[in-house]
Amino acid sequence: MFIPQRRLFAVLRRSTVLSLLLCLGCSAQSNPQSGSLDVNQRIERQVHAYFNVPADVNVKIGARTPSEFPNYETVPVTLSRGEKSQTMEFLV
């Protein structure tokens, strides 16, 4: 049975990405240092990484409050640089 090269490449790429995500998820759960970091620091690092926020932008994490969804909290995150600022709500 002949599998086109393009399709084979797509299947290999998907399986590689899936394996990488599974490994990252497992390592995040088993990392003993992750519990020692403050939750707000972890949220700040995740915002910087996910949204590619420049280093000169200040990220301020507000107080967590219960959300309308069970087992989740709402966290206000304020991004500011100079006179400009923007606040967004995230679920944690």
Side-chain angles (χ1 to χ4, degrees):
M1 177 177 207
F2 177 72
I3 300 176
Q5 186 176 5
R6 184 180 292 173
R7 182 173 169 98
L8 179 63
F9 180 72
V11 169
L12 288 175
R13 185 176 56 188
R14 287 181 186 152
S15 64
T16 302
V17 169
L18 179 62
S19 299
L20 179 64
L21 290 174
L22 288 173
C23 291
L24 287 175
C26 293
S27 68
Q29 291 176 356
S30 65
N31 187 357
Q33 291 180 338
S34 66
S36 65
L37 286 177
D38 183 38
V39 174
N40 287 351
Q41 289 175 337
R42 291 174 35 203
I43 293 171
E44 182 178 344
R45 288 171 65 191
Q46 187 68 24
V47 167
H48 270 285
Y50 186 79
F51 294 105
N52 200 19
V53 176
D56 63 334
V57 174
N58 295 324
V59 178
K60 181 180 176 188
I61 310 300
R64 294 188 301 269
T65 58
S67 75
E68 60 187 65
F69 301 105
N71 301 323
Y72 285 94
E73 296 175 321
T74 302
V75 178
V77 176
T78 304
L79 304 174
S80 61
R81 179 171 33 184
E83 297 293 321
K84 298 179 182 178
S85 69
Q86 179 179 4
T87 302
M88 298 171 282
E89 297 282 329
F90 289 93
L91 287 177
V92 178

